[in-house]
């Protein structure tokens, strides 16, 4: 692979104009497709294979014309202090509202509080229900304006009016997001490279990749059903990995130039070595994202597919567009000192070979003894000083990683669900409506259970439905059951059961399980079948589906990591260590999410106004993405250690050499990832904050704790045994040259190193 990528780098450098024109053509083509594509649909909540979805499907089948997932608005009226909504003036204002809304466009029906007994016991609060014939995403501006106008008229009459439901759902405030990530990335790159051009090149190529990916997703939105959520995730991941992959290549290019290679050869070597790590890391991310499709949730499958495409574009750009840009400005990405040194060399002043070796961090001989690892040198990079410390004291460093395991303990208390209006900001009308209903009617009123009764097989459908309603009403934890609403055929009915506890509470979840547990007896007595759905039931079903899929998915991901790393590093213990480290970082990130978003510790600092269950898709989502990102750091860091080991360095010195070349780059890449993900925490949506916090935390744990402490400590303890592989397995495994070992046989020594200024033999690396 290294030889092939070496040729790709050479070709891109030589044909730089052609390469850039091709990428510009691709960008123009996808933008043309995006401009002519229809608008992206909203994310589908369809969850095949769960009871709640089957109940929704049954409602849509038996009640044609009124979709179960159609838009709805629950309009809450609250009287002033020491007043009641039943006074003549307030009652007239509410009746006027119901009449006006019922005649609005796309309205299926409007029910006032006085007709449906929707008035609180103290007469302080009432609500009206408005249902629409279409989903919320299909509501026209005229429909929304009609509802908004009626609400304003009711407010003018002196009532406090708030609107819950999906009809007038408030858009979450947009945070700095990717803008903050790009700004932080620019600062990190500038500090790392000390060159504006070197800092700007990864940003430029990452923005190019994200632009192509987003335009491509928009162009394919109708064909694949991509929603706006798919684009947001693709942008977040594409920006993060795009910067990192370009960073790896540019960093290796600067290193090869420092050794004395000409620009073209340095570019080819950078693509042949760092490019191999980029390809492998990118493939692991893509495989993990595509693996989301096996879970059976369409939303996750689409998000995985769109994000995998963004990562693929990032890999291709790093392998082609980056070397092409290096061809246009070969010296611009170098530090000012290196540019001055290069200009002096071109004027005839040869640089000292020993000085070049020192600057490239390769002054130690291949056979350096472990004792020399502890030797101090002036102004050694922080990565070298840290590696020496770890090699000298691997056990104490390894014990500090126990803290990561302690942080993972709260993940055992993980409760999954789908945060609703209770998790929104109090500045939104949905949250205020939620609080008003909870105060006026009880905490369970915001999460009624919808029970669909299929009485086709019953001798007396109405009697069977009545018996089911009575049985549910007598269940502990049920406050009330609404009158049954039958379809035109009279063989199917829908009833609503109001729990006594909040929608996200464990008691309400137990209630759903209790009702479903009594189903067999009820169906045997009545001959009617029923299914339970609604927000609470849907959360339980989705959480259970995700929980059932998490362990198998995690097992597949860890097994895949083990096999891929065994193939690359030709070792058994190294991939085993990597898999264990990956599990530590993921579980610690889940523990941190539970601490903040579920238990509420530090929630105010992160702008989380309401704690509750963790988004059901979050654990699997986190596992899939972090697996790929963790492999970035694993491959880039350990491949440099193995490269030094292959060239004859002993175990301890190989670790120091690997950190000398890669610690700074891995640290910068991790900071950039954290900035991109953390930027999404500035938005107003609780779920987006949760995703940003979880990913940023996982990157921090994996890059700075696992890869920087756990990995070198274990390698130091194992010594040469870390690279052990049975001979029979060594013969079976194909060779993947990520370190670029094959290139050393075909690459001429740098001119500045092979020419001696005094006639003595040259110094070689």
């Amino acid at each position: 692979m290294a030889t092939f990528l070496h040729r790709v780098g050479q070709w891109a450098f030589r044909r730089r104009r052609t390469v850039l024109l091709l990428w510009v053509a691709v960008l123009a083509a996808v933008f043309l497709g995006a401009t002519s594509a229809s608008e992206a649909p909203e994310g589908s909540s369809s969850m095949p294979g769960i009871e709640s979805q089957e109940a929704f499907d049954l409602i849509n089948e038996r009640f044609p014309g009124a979709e179960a997932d159609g838009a709805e608005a629950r309009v809450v009226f609250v009287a002033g202090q020491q007043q009641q909504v039943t006074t003549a003036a307030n009652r007239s204002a509410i009746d006027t509202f119901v009449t006006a809304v019922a005649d609005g466009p796309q309205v299926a029906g409007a029910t006032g509080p006085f007709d449906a007994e929707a008035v609180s016991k103290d007469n302080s609060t009432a609500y009206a229900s408005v249902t629409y014939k279409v989903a919320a995403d299909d509501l026209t501006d005229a429909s929304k304006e009609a509802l908004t106008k009626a609400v304003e008229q009711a407010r003018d009459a002196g009532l406090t009016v708030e609107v819950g439901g999906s009809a007038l759902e408030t858009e979450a405030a947009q945070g700095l997001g990717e803008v903050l990530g790009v700004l932080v990335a620019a600062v990190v790159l500038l500090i790392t490279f000390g060159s504006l051009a070197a800092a700007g090149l990864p940003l430029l190529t990452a923005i190019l990749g994200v632009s192509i990916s987003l335009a491509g997703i928009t162009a394919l939105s109708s064909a694949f059903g991509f929603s706006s959520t798919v684009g947001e995730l693709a942008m977040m991941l594409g920006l993060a990995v795009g910067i990192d992959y370009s960073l790896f290549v540019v960093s290796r290019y600067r290193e090869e130039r420092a050794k004395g290679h000409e620009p073209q050869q340095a570019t080819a070597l950078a693509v042949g070595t760092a490019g191999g790590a980029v390809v492998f890391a990118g493939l692991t991310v893509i495989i993990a994202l595509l693996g989301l499709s096996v879970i059976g949730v369409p939303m996750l499958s689409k998000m995985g597919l769109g994000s995998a495409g963004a990562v693929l574009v990032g890999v291709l750009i790093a392998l082609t567009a980056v070397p092409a840009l290096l061809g246009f400005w070969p010296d611009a990405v170098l530090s000012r000192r290196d540019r001055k040194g290069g200009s002096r060399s071109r004027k005839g002043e040869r640089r000292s070979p020993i000085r070049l070796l020192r600057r490239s961090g390769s002054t130690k001989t291949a056979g350096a003894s472990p004792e020399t690892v502890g030797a101090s040198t002036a102004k050694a990079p922080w990565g070298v000083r840290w590696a020496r410390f770890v090699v000298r004291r691997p056990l104490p460093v390894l014990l500090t990683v126990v803290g990561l395991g302690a942080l993972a303990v709260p993940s055992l208390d993980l409760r999954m669900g789908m945060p609703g209006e209770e998790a929104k900001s109090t500045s939104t009308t949905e949250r205020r409506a939620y609080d008003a209903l909870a105060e006026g009617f009880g905490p369970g009123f915001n999460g009624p259970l919808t029970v669909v009764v299929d009485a086709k097989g019953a001798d007396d459908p109405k009697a069977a439905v009545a018996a089911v309603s009575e049985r549910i009403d007598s269940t502990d934890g049920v406050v009330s059951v609404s009158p049954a609403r039958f379809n035109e055929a009279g063989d199917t009915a829908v009833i609503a059961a109001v729990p006594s506890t909040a929608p996200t509470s464990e008691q309400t979840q137990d209630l759903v399980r209790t009702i479903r547990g009594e189903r067999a007896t009820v169906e045997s007595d009545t001959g009617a079948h029923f299914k339970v759905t609604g927000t609470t039931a849907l959360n339980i079903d989705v959480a259970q589906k995700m929980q059932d899929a998490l362990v198998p998915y995690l097992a597949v991901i860890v097994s895949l990591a083990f096999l891929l790393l065994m193939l690359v590093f030709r070792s058994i213990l190294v991939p085993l260590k990597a898999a264990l480290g990956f599990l530590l970082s993921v579980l610690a990130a889940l523990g941190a999410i539970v601490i903040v978003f579920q238990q509420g510790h530090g929630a105010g600092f992160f702008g989380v106004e309401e704690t509750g269950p963790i988004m059901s898709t979050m654990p699997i989502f986190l596992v899939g993405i972090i697996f790929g990102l963790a492999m970035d750091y694993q491959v880039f860091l350990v491949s440099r250690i193995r490269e030094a080991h292959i060239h004859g360095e002993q175990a301890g010195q190989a670790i120091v050499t690997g950190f000398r070349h890669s610690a700074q780059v891995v640290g910068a890449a991790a900071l950039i990832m954290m900035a991109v993900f953390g930027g999404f925490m500035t938005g107003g949506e609780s779920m987006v904050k949760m995703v940003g916090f979880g990913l940023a935390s996982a990157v921090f744990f994996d890059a700075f704790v696992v890869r920087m402490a756990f990995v070198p400590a274990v390698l130091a303890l194992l010594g040469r045994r870390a690279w052990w592989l049975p001979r029979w397995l060594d013969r079976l495994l194909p060779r993947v040259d990520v370190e670029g070992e094959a290139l050393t046989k075909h690459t001429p020594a740098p001119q500045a190193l092979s020419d001696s200024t005094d006639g003595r033999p040259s110094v070689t690396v």
Side-chain angles (χ1 to χ4, degrees):
M1 182 169 67
T3 305
F4 170 75
L5 292 176
H6 183 275
R7 291 197 296 267
V8 170
Q10 274 190 329
W11 172 80
F13 188 95
R14 291 172 179 171
R15 306 291 184 183
R16 44 190 174 272
R17 291 182 176 81
T18 302
V19 171
L20 291 184
L21 285 175
L22 286 175
W23 279 114
V24 171
V26 170
L27 181 63
V30 293
F31 261 99
L32 182 62
T35 54
S36 60
S38 57
E39 187 177 353
E42 285 297 316
S44 173
S45 58
S46 175
M47 293 280 179
I50 61 176
E51 179 176 331
S52 297
Q53 185 63 50
E54 293 171 355
F56 275 123
D57 295 340
L58 183 61
I59 293 175
N60 289 334
E61 177 187 345
R62 302 290 176 85
F63 293 82
E67 295 187 33
D69 57 350
E72 50 86 21
R74 180 174 285 183
V75 185
V76 185
F77 306 93
V78 181
Q81 291 184 353
Q82 298 180 346
Q83 292 187 14
Q84 296 181 336
V85 293
T86 52
T87 62
N90 288 337
R91 186 172 186 136
S92 174
I94 294 173
D95 288 339
T96 300
F97 168 85
V98 174
T99 301
V101 171
D103 295 333
Q106 297 180 305
V107 174
T111 305
F114 309 111
D115 298 329
E117 300 181 356
V119 181
S120 63
K121 292 181 180 179
D122 60 359
N123 293 330
S124 65
T125 309
Y127 70 91
S129 299
V130 183
T131 56
Y132 290 85
K133 300 175 183 178
V134 297
D137 200 40
D138 296 324
L139 282 178
T140 62
D141 291 339
S143 299
K144 295 179 181 180
E145 289 173 3
L147 178 59
T148 302
K149 182 178 179 180
V151 167
E152 292 299 329
Q153 290 176 346
R155 287 173 177 166
D156 292 341
L159 290 166
T160 298
V161 186
E162 305 294 348
V163 184
S166 58
L168 294 181
E169 188 169 5
T170 305
E171 292 291 335
Q174 297 297 316
L176 299 177
E178 63 278 6
V179 176
L180 177 62
V182 169
L183 292 177
V184 175
V187 174
V188 171
L189 289 170
L190 187 58
I191 294 174
T192 302
F193 287 137
S195 165
L196 286 174
L201 192 148
L203 292 175
L204 177 63
T205 54
I207 292 172
L208 172 64
V210 167
S211 301
I212 291 174
S213 301
L214 289 181
I217 288 172
T218 303
L220 298 173
S221 59
S222 298
F224 290 91
F226 289 149
S227 66
S228 58
T229 306
V230 176
E232 291 172 3
L233 177 61
M235 176 175 59
M236 183 166 57
L237 271 181
L239 188 61
V241 301
I243 294 174
D244 278 6
Y245 294 164
S246 298
L247 171 63
F248 292 162
V249 175
V250 173
S251 175
R252 189 60 184 251
Y253 170 81
R254 285 161 55 100
E255 183 181 328
E256 298 299 334
R257 286 295 304 275
K259 292 177 181 178
H261 288 291
E262 292 298 321
Q264 180 175 319
Q265 187 62 16
T267 302
L269 286 171
V271 176
T273 51
V278 167
V279 169
F280 178 79
L283 283 177
T284 56
V285 180
I286 292 170
I287 291 172
L289 290 171
L290 293 180
L292 293 173
S293 60
V294 304
I295 297 171
V297 179
M299 176 185 67
L300 285 179
S301 300
K302 294 171 184 176
M303 291 170 68
L305 181 60
S307 301
V311 174
L312 177 61
V313 171
V315 171
L316 294 176
I317 284 180
L319 298 179
T320 56
V322 170
L325 290 172
L326 290 175
F328 281 106
W329 299 284
D331 293 334
V333 298
L334 303 179
S335 64
R336 181 177 301 177
R337 183 179 60 180
D338 287 340
R339 287 198 298 270
K340 289 181 179 179
S343 63
R344 286 197 300 267
S345 294
R346 285 190 294 271
K347 292 177 182 178
E349 296 182 30
R350 297 186 182 276
R351 288 181 287 177
S352 166
I354 299 298
R355 176 169 177 159
L356 283 169
L357 285 170
R358 285 175 179 167
R359 290 182 58 189
S360 65
S362 303
T363 56
K364 295 200 178 290
T365 61
S369 63
E371 290 77 7
T372 62
V373 175
S376 61
T377 59
K379 298 182 180 179
W382 67 265
V384 172
R385 297 195 301 271
W386 170 250
R388 288 172 179 159
F389 174 81
V390 174
V391 170
R392 288 196 302 266
R393 300 176 180 85
L395 278 177
V397 171
L398 200 57
L399 289 176
T400 61
V401 183
V402 174
L404 208 59
L407 191 58
V409 172
S411 65
L412 299 175
D413 188 39
L414 177 68
R415 287 195 303 112
M416 292 191 290
M418 293 298 291
E421 294 178 349
E422 77 281 357
K424 292 188 175 183
S425 170
T426 53
S427 63
T428 64
T429 185
E430 296 98 323
R431 173 62 186 275
R432 293 195 296 269
Y434 180 96
D435 292 341
L437 287 172
E439 182 178 353
F441 295 90
F445 195 79
N446 285 294
L449 307 178
T450 302
V451 182
V452 187
V453 185
D454 182 1
K456 267 190 174 182
D459 297 333
D460 186 349
K462 290 188 177 181
V465 171
V468 172
S469 299
E470 184 179 352
R471 185 63 175 268
I472 294 175
D473 193 21
S474 63
T475 304
D476 291 339
V478 175
V479 175
S480 63
V481 174
S482 69
R485 179 168 63 93
F486 282 86
N487 64 344
E488 292 184 3
D491 57 9
T492 306
V494 175
I495 58 178
V498 178
S500 60
T501 50
T504 57
S505 69
E506 294 185 25
Q507 294 89 337
T508 307
Q509 296 179 5
D510 293 338
L511 174 62
V512 173
R513 297 187 181 97
T514 299
I515 294 174
R516 288 175 171 174
E518 297 174 348
R519 176 162 37 209
T521 303
V522 174
E523 291 179 348
S524 176
D525 295 341
T526 63
H529 305 281
F530 72 86
K531 296 182 183 295
V532 182
T533 186
T535 303
T536 304
L538 180 63
N539 288 343
I540 294 173
D541 293 344
V542 173
Q544 188 63 49
K545 187 179 180 70
M546 295 298 103
Q547 184 175 338
D548 293 342
L550 179 59
V551 174
Y553 182 67
L554 190 59
V556 170
I557 289 297
V558 172
S559 301
L560 177 64
F562 181 85
L563 293 174
L564 290 176
L565 292 176
M566 184 172 63
L567 179 66
V568 171
F569 296 124
R570 311 197 73 76
S571 166
I572 291 180
L573 296 179
V574 168
L576 187 62
K577 163 198 59 69
L580 180 59
F582 163 68
L583 286 175
L584 273 174
S585 58
V586 167
L587 293 177
L590 285 176
I593 293 172
V594 170
I595 290 173
V596 175
F597 290 87
Q598 183 174 306
Q599 299 176 352
H601 303 295
F605 177 78
F606 294 103
V608 180
E609 297 188 16
E610 189 75 20
T611 59
I614 305 305
M615 185 171 60
S616 298
T617 55
M618 183 67 192
I620 284 185
F621 182 73
L622 189 71
V623 167
I625 293 178
I626 294 305
F627 165 73
L629 300 183
M631 293 306 103
D632 284 7
Y633 311 129
Q634 174 72 16
V635 173
F636 196 75
L637 180 64
V638 180
S639 63
R640 296 309 298 266
I641 297 175
R642 185 172 186 270
E643 182 178 342
H645 175 72
I646 289 174
H647 291 162
E649 294 187 9
Q650 295 185 11
Q653 179 59 31
I655 294 172
V656 175
T657 301
F659 267 68
R660 183 189 299 275
H661 293 301
S662 58
Q664 186 179 18
V665 178
V666 169
L671 288 175
I672 291 169
M673 287 274 191
M674 292 171 60
V676 173
F677 295 145
F680 286 83
M681 294 180 61
T682 61
E685 186 66 41
S686 176
M687 287 187 289
V688 175
K689 288 183 178 180
M690 189 183 299
V691 171
F693 175 83
L695 292 176
S697 300
V699 169
F700 173 78
F701 296 143
D702 193 85
F704 293 107
V705 181
V706 172
R707 307 304 157 191
M708 294 293 182
F710 178 76
V711 167
V714 172
L715 289 177
L717 287 173
L718 292 175
R720 295 180 60 86
R721 295 186 298 273
W723 310 106
W724 172 78
L725 185 70
R727 291 184 179 180
W728 64 269
L729 188 56
D730 184 55
R731 290 192 298 268
L732 289 177
L733 291 177
R735 294 195 173 273
V736 181
D737 186 14
V738 175
E739 299 86 2
E741 182 183 0
L743 298 180
T744 59
K745 302 176 183 178
H746 308 289
T747 303
Q751 186 67 27
L753 293 179
S754 58
D755 293 342
S756 176
T757 58
D758 55 8
R760 289 179 296 179
S762 62
V763 180
T764 58
V765 182

